[in-house]
Every structure is written in C-alpha cells, then in structure tokens.
Amino acid sequence: MASPNTFRAGPDERGHFGIHGGRFVAETLMPLILEVERAYAAARVDPSFAAELDYYLEHYVGRPSPLFYAERMTTHFGGAKIYMKREELNHTGAHKINNTLGQILLARRMGKRRIIAETGAGQHGVATATVCALFDLPCIVYMGETDIERQKPNVFRMKLLGAEVRPVKSGTATLKDAMNEALRDWVANVEDTFYIIGTAAGPHPYPAMVRDFQCVIGNEVRTQLHKAEGRLPDTLVACIGGGSNAIGLFHPFLDDPTVRMIGVEAAGYGIETGKHAASLNGGKPGVLHGNRTYLLQTDDGQIVDAHSISAGLDYPGIGPEHAWLHDTGRVDYVAITDREAIEAFQLCSKLEGIIPALEPAHALAHVAKIAPTLPRDHLLVVNLCGRGDKDIFAVAERLGVAL
C-alpha cells in the first residue's frame, strides 16, 4: 500500500483509516453517534474545553507523568538506553484517566446525566468511576465475570467510588462481552446516557477521540526526551489490546520517519496454539463493536475467543488506526506470550523497584529481546501504562505462590 503524505491526518469524514474504522451501529444509535461527533468537533476547537481538560490533567491526574531513565535495566541488557514513560503514576494507576476525563467533560457539555462504560482489567472502569464521582454523575460499569474474578481489587475500588458493577456472563465473560452489553444498554437509553469507551476502537468518532485524549502521552515524551537527550527517540514500544496507550504514544511521532514504533500484542499460550489475543498477528479484517478492523475470527466470520493472562489485552480485536498503521507498514506489531510477560513483570520489579501491570509487562518483554541488540546511544522509550497492584494475585497464582 502506498504511504500517505501524512500518517496523522486520519480518519476521513466517515471515520475511515484506509479500509478500517467507520460506523457500523444500530439505526437507533446513529443520531446519538452523530451528536457525539458534532459535540466533539465543537469541543476540540474550543479553548475553554482544552483549558478545563488541562486543568484537571495537571491538578487532578498529576500530569505530566515522569519520563524515567531506567539505568539498572539499561545496564542489565547492555544495549539501548531505556526510558520509561511513567503512566502508572497517574491518579488511578494507568493511562485510562486521560481519556475518561476528556469524555466526561464532553458528556457534561452535551447535558448527559448517566454514564456507562465497559472494562476488562478494571483500570478503565476505575477511571470512569473516578471521574463520575468527581462530577457527581451515576456510573454503570459492565465487566465480564471472568475478569471480575481475576481483578477483584479493581472491582472493589469501583464500588467504593460509587459505581454499579454489572457482571456479564455471556461468551467468555471478558472484555468483548462487556462491550456488547454496554452497547445494548446504550441503544436502550439513548436520550440521557453517554458511553465512555475505554480504548481507541468502536464506531467513529471514538477511535479518533480516544486517540486525541491519549496523545498527551506522546506529546509529553517529545518534550521530556528533548530536554533529557536533545533529540527524538529512536524506538517507541507499547503494549496493544484495543490500543489506546500505544496510539497515544505513537501518534505525535508518526510523521517522524526516523522514529521506529513497535506495538506488542498478547500471544497468550503462543500464536500457534490459537489461544492468544493477537489480532494483527493472528487475525483478519472484519466488523465488531461498530468498526472494521482486524479480528480473531473463523472463516465464516464468527468471533474466536481471545486469551491472555492480562485482562486488559484479552480482546479479539484492535483499534482501526492500528489496523491501518499495520497495513501501511508504519508501525511494527509483534506478540509476547504470557510466560514472557510474567518474566518481564518480575524483572522490572527487581531491577527498577517498579511493579508494572501485566499489560505493559508485554511491552517490557519485547524490550528485553531487542535492547541488547541495539547500540548504547539508541534511545528507546517504553510506555509503562499501568501499575501492577491489580495483577499480583493473578501472577502469584500462575507462579504457584500462596498469598
């Protein structure tokens, strides 16, 4: 596929990134989707909206998040100079709140009084419940029963924050199924409800809107690394589920040809086993949750259940902009197994005193593979998009450690 003049121009007016994206929703939802699109188009050029968002990002979330030189990990691998973008230090412990703040400010601007969300690892649910508490709005979070069981700390946090957590029993009772139920709720309550989607997927304008709210990550890295090193990074690495943390890091650098970008999917038990969540490395294009993208599916279009030890990566699709960046070759997409992620989880904890979430542990595992092969003046930035508190029980169980 021929490269466009700019990789940052999309989507087009219909929400397409090449053949991906778009708006595949129930007829009853179309008026609301168009309303969200109009409201966001107005908000993004309104200085007062940007000023309000910037205020809360600084004084409530705690931005900018640090860019930390991981000296011990750099020495351990003996190659590239590794920097960590410390998104796990944000309020609520992940990058998710960058997006939930932007969307709830938009919901208030639209006069919506009821908020719904879906969650897998629970971080988006916690971030949504947090901003709903902040702005005194009722919050309903759909979460698969499988994820409820493996993310108990986050479930309790959501309830403490005043949210109602609705268990989803259908399918594999994970993120895909939670998103299905949230969409059904939205169709039934279109007048007063705003759906805060947690990743850069779903019907247009959500993939672009979520990306825009997460671009604060890459914009800060650009400024911070220039201050630290006086130049652009050589390589950016981020984990990919739906892909919001990664597109937030990558997008500000897409038109810088010297910057290589690597998205890391969840290979689960291995791509060859079929038990994974690597849509780009093991899927093909189709339609799910309102957009066309790469999906794990059978030859007749039935969605195949995803698997990852990481609840936040356990999704059978990927954001449409990532699908397009894959097709154009601008971003490389690789996959890391559960075992490799757990090893990186332990290594980062012991070397840097930072317990990462299992999601960015996948990115760290790929860093472990490539850093030793790169020169010492190679600048590598990995997005540490979540804190590992939520995952200690899952890791302990996998390692056979009694708590």
Side-chain angles (χ1 to χ4, degrees):
M1 181 180 294
S3 296
N5 292 325
T6 172
F7 288 94
R8 302 186 66 202
D12 65 19
E13 67 280 358
R14 296 177 300 139
H16 289 106
F17 299 90
I19 64 170
H20 303 286
R23 232 181 330 229
F24 299 85
V25 297
E27 187 176 346
T28 51
L29 268 184
M30 277 302 292
L32 182 53
I33 287 283
L34 293 171
E35 182 188 4
V36 172
E37 183 183 15
R38 287 190 297 268
Y40 179 59
R44 67 182 304 192
V45 295
D46 184 346
S48 67
F49 182 84
E52 186 176 22
L53 178 58
D54 288 346
Y55 171 84
Y56 284 105
L57 287 174
E58 179 181 355
H59 299 287
Y60 191 67
V61 176
R63 303 206 69 91
S65 63
L67 184 67
F68 172 65
Y69 169 44
E71 186 172 3
R72 290 198 67 210
M73 188 170 284
T74 297
T75 301
H76 176 81
F77 292 129
K81 193 171 185 179
I82 300 167
Y83 281 88
M84 295 175 173
K85 182 57 172 164
R86 301 288 307 277
E87 288 296 291
E88 95 285 2
L89 293 179
N90 291 336
H91 179 43
T92 73
H95 66 293
K96 294 293 188 180
I97 198 163
N98 304 327
N99 170 50
T100 61
L101 258 178
Q103 287 199 50
I104 203 162
L105 293 178
L106 185 65
R108 294 173 78 225
R109 186 182 178 102
M110 295 172 65
K112 303 297 180 181
R113 297 298 306 166
R114 178 176 178 268
I115 304 297
I116 61 171
E118 88 296 328
T119 199
Q123 288 302 114
H124 175 61
V126 168
T128 303
T130 296
V131 296
C132 285
L134 177 65
F135 292 110
D136 191 25
L137 290 174
C139 178
I140 296 168
V141 179
Y142 289 90
M143 188 173 191
E145 284 195 333
T146 300
D147 292 335
I148 287 175
E149 180 60 29
R150 60 181 171 178
Q151 297 292 339
K152 289 180 180 178
N154 274 346
V155 175
F156 185 56
R157 290 170 76 193
M158 285 182 266
K159 292 179 177 179
L160 275 177
L161 291 160
E164 175 190 348
V165 180
R166 292 190 179 175
V168 177
K169 301 179 181 180
S170 58
T172 52
T174 55
L175 181 57
K176 165 181 66 72
D177 312 293
M179 197 165 187
N180 287 340
E181 289 302 316
L183 284 166
R184 290 190 185 101
D185 182 313
W186 203 20
V187 170
N189 299 279
V190 294
E191 294 300 321
D192 66 340
T193 297
F194 190 98
Y195 180 11
I196 297 183
I197 292 180
T199 194
H204 178 65
Y206 280 94
M209 180 167 66
V210 174
R211 173 202 70 197
D212 291 348
F213 290 139
Q214 292 294 0
C215 273
V216 66
I217 301 170
N219 288 333
E220 287 179 3
V221 167
R222 204 177 179 95
T223 300
Q224 291 167 321
L225 197 65
H226 189 271
K227 181 179 179 181
E229 299 282 352
R231 65 181 181 90
L232 292 172
D234 295 300
T235 300
L236 303 173
V237 184
C239 65
I240 302 266
S244 67
N245 92 87
I247 203 66
L249 175 64
F250 296 166
H251 193 261
F253 296 94
L254 286 175
D255 288 340
D256 296 296
T258 62
V259 181
R260 184 188 181 198
M261 298 171 210
I262 306 171
V264 185
E265 296 189 294
Y269 293 119
I271 301 294
E272 69 285 352
T273 69
K275 295 182 178 180
H276 61 83
S279 303
L280 292 177
N281 285 280
K284 51 192 173 184
V287 174
L288 179 67
H289 296 147
N291 70 121
R292 188 175 195 271
T293 186
Y294 281 85
L295 304 171
L296 302 181
Q297 57 184 317
T298 62
D299 290 338
D300 59 358
Q302 296 300 308
I303 298 300
V304 175
D305 295 334
H307 164 76
S308 173
I309 190 174
S310 162
L313 303 183
D314 199 350
Y315 181 67
I318 193 166
E321 189 164 7
H322 285 294
W324 175 71
L325 290 168
H326 169 268
D327 286 354
T328 61
R330 178 62 186 94
V331 178
D332 298 322
Y333 293 91
V334 300
I336 285 292
T337 65
D338 290 351
R339 179 184 58 78
E340 291 169 324
I342 289 174
E343 289 174 358
F345 178 96
Q346 296 172 285
L347 185 68
C348 182
S349 300
K350 292 174 181 176
L351 285 182
E352 297 294 351
I354 299 170
I355 303 174
L358 280 171
E359 290 81 10
H362 285 70
L364 288 166
H366 189 67
V367 169
K369 290 184 176 183
I370 64 171
T373 71
L374 298 169
R376 292 179 185 273
D377 62 350
H378 191 99
L379 301 181
L380 187 155
V381 177
V382 58
N383 197 16
L384 213 63
C385 62
R387 198 168 60 213
D389 309 34
K390 67 183 179 60
D391 292 319
I392 56 173
F393 300 104
V395 173
E397 180 180 355
R398 183 63 70 92
L399 294 175
V401 177
L403 295 179

